[in-house]
Amino acid sequence: MPDANSSERDSVHEYLSFPDGDLIIQTSDKHDFKVHKLVMSLASVVFLDMASLDDVNAERMEIDAVPTVKFVETAAVMDILLRYIYPAVKPTLTSLEVIISALAAADKYIMTTVMKDLECVILTGNFVEKEPLRIYMLAKRFSLANLERAAFKGAVYSSTTDLTPYQVSTESAWFSFEEFYKLKFFAGQRIQKCKVVIYRETFRLHERVCDCIRRDREAHSQAIEENPEEYRGDYVSEDEDSSTRTCSAWTKFADLACSQLDRDPTQDIFSIDIRRKVLQDAKCGDALASVLNESEFGRIARIRKLLDGIPWEYEEQYETLIKKGQKEHLPTMTTATTS
């Protein structure tokens, strides 16, 4: 893991230390921090019992009558912890690697408040958006509930190929192979439900008769006139006949949207690019008004709202699958990359 030195101290020019401190913390890179036992004991259960310091990698010495305890953390990491313990200027943290180092140390010394503060740093940055699966794994590792909720949706649609070999070798130590399978199962369940909604809503009765529906109805009527015996007893009204009420532009949109979900469910299926492809392929003179203009029928807004309401977790279904011993039916670990 990259060292937590230098780059993460943009807004902090010197390490935090107090001349009147009654305890010296010596880091792995031989930097001494003079701190207060009382403050440290309030921030950490480990520091609460000073005798326990001898068990934390600690070689106890006496320098100027002030006890010194050695720690394996670097000065940069220790400085981050102290700046969240004391009312001091907070560091500017832009590297996830450094935040992870600080989280690991705060977890090790049971600094609950510091861990919550570092969780907020991740939540307010762009880390969740950039690396949702990794953030979800970290949230599980450090039991950070808010971070877990924030990263969950992105993690469901993520692939293990999003992780580097180094990340897999480290983070996976706290994230089981079973968890990967479960996320992919959730993704498969949700994608299938999204497809059902998309096809159902795009085939709903259109309130406005577009160019292709009008042409289909004319052809249908002509076929009845030319072969009345063939249609005898099977006649239904044009509004009830699915073959004469569905716009080809919306049919094309449904096909493209569902294909996009299969390739990369993280992409917006309502993007202007997909709707432009509809215009290129659909055989409807009114496709421009139907698909590019969301206010025409409000259909896209309705579909979007319905998709947003589809659940992300399917714990009950997953547990049922496991109990039946059907793990062979679980989806593969990786998803196809966008072509």
Side-chain angles (χ1 to χ4, degrees):
M1 181 176 292
D3 189 15
N5 288 309
S6 68
S7 62
E8 288 304 318
R9 306 184 63 256
D10 303 337
S11 62
V12 181
H13 300 292
E14 60 182 31
Y15 291 131
L16 197 64
S17 191
F18 302 91
D20 61 343
D22 53 5
L23 174 69
I24 294 176
I25 294 175
Q26 187 175 95
T27 60
S28 60
D29 45 357
K30 306 304 180 183
H31 188 90
D32 292 343
F33 290 86
K34 212 171 202 183
V35 297
H36 305 91
K37 291 181 183 179
L38 177 60
V39 174
M40 298 303 294
S41 65
L42 291 173
S44 166
V45 174
V46 173
F47 281 84
L48 184 59
D49 182 4
M50 296 309 297
S52 69
L53 290 175
D54 292 321
D55 301 323
V56 186
N57 289 317
E59 177 185 321
R60 194 177 178 90
M61 302 174 290
E62 294 291 333
I63 300 178
D64 297 329
V66 177
T68 296
V69 180
K70 288 187 176 182
F71 285 82
V72 297
E73 285 72 30
T74 64
V77 169
M78 187 58 65
D79 187 69
I80 291 172
L81 298 183
L82 293 177
R83 288 183 180 279
Y84 279 103
I85 291 172
Y86 283 88
V89 176
K90 302 299 182 281
T92 300
L93 302 175
T94 58
S95 167
L96 184 58
E97 307 300 335
V98 174
I99 298 174
I100 292 173
S101 296
L103 270 172
D107 181 55
K108 176 180 176 181
Y109 301 119
I110 318 180
M111 297 177 176
T112 307
T113 302
V114 175
M115 292 191 70
K116 288 297 180 184
D117 288 338
L118 291 172
E119 179 184 32
C120 288
V121 171
I122 298 176
L123 286 169
T124 54
N126 63 348
F127 302 105
V128 174
E129 181 181 349
K130 289 174 61 178
E131 300 183 78
L133 178 57
R134 191 179 182 203
I135 295 300
Y136 183 73
M137 294 165 71
L138 291 171
K140 285 283 192 178
R141 171 185 172 184
F142 295 115
S143 301
L144 301 174
N146 292 332
L147 193 59
E148 181 179 337
R149 284 192 295 270
F152 175 70
K153 292 181 179 180
V156 166
Y157 281 160
S158 294
S159 165
T160 53
T161 57
D162 295 336
L163 301 174
T164 66
Y166 168 77
Q167 292 166 355
V168 170
S169 67
T170 53
E171 271 79 341
S172 61
W174 295 274
F175 196 77
S176 70
F177 202 63
E178 176 76 4
E179 290 287 348
F180 285 124
Y181 269 116
K182 185 183 290 189
L183 289 177
K184 294 307 107 185
F185 177 80
F186 289 173
Q189 291 288 299
R190 191 172 194 279
I191 288 172
Q192 186 57 39
K193 290 182 180 296
C194 286
K195 288 181 178 180
V196 171
V197 168
I198 291 170
Y199 278 115
R200 184 189 71 211
E201 292 301 313
T202 53
F203 279 88
R204 285 168 63 90
L205 178 63
H206 289 256
E207 299 175 8
R208 174 175 175 271
V209 179
C210 68
D211 171 64
C212 69
I213 292 179
R214 185 168 53 253
R215 283 189 284 105
D216 285 345
R217 288 182 176 181
E218 290 173 355
H220 188 65
S221 297
Q222 185 176 351
I224 294 176
E225 291 177 5
E226 294 176 353
N227 300 286
E229 293 298 325
E230 184 179 340
Y231 292 90
R232 186 182 299 278
D234 297 326
Y235 177 76
V236 293
S237 70
E238 292 177 334
D239 285 340
E240 295 173 322
D241 186 358
S242 62
S243 67
T244 61
R245 73 180 190 185
T246 304
C247 175
S248 63
W250 283 104
T251 302
K252 188 64 181 178
F253 169 78
D255 291 340
L256 288 173
C258 290
S259 295
Q260 180 63 51
L261 284 174
D262 286 333
R263 290 195 306 271
D264 185 358
T266 64
Q267 298 301 309
D268 182 13
I269 63 170
F270 305 103
S271 69
I272 195 67
D273 289 337
I274 286 182
R275 286 188 270 173
R276 280 174 179 164
K277 290 179 182 177
V278 171
L279 293 183
Q280 294 171 3
D281 301 335
K283 298 176 181 179
C284 178
D286 293 330
L288 179 63
S290 297
V291 182
L292 282 185
N293 186 354
E294 289 192 20
S295 63
E296 184 69 17
F297 304 122
R299 192 177 301 268
I300 286 181
R302 174 183 169 80
I303 295 174
R304 190 190 296 273
K305 183 177 180 180
L306 289 171
L307 294 183
D308 288 342
I310 293 177
W312 288 81
E313 293 188 69
Y314 299 89
E315 287 282 357
E316 185 176 343
Q317 294 91 326
Y318 182 79
E319 290 302 321
T320 299
L321 195 64
I322 298 300
K323 288 177 182 179
K324 289 180 178 179
Q326 295 176 329
K327 285 190 177 183
E328 66 273 17
H329 296 300
L330 290 175
T332 57
M333 287 285 294
T334 58
T335 57
T337 56
T338 304
S339 57

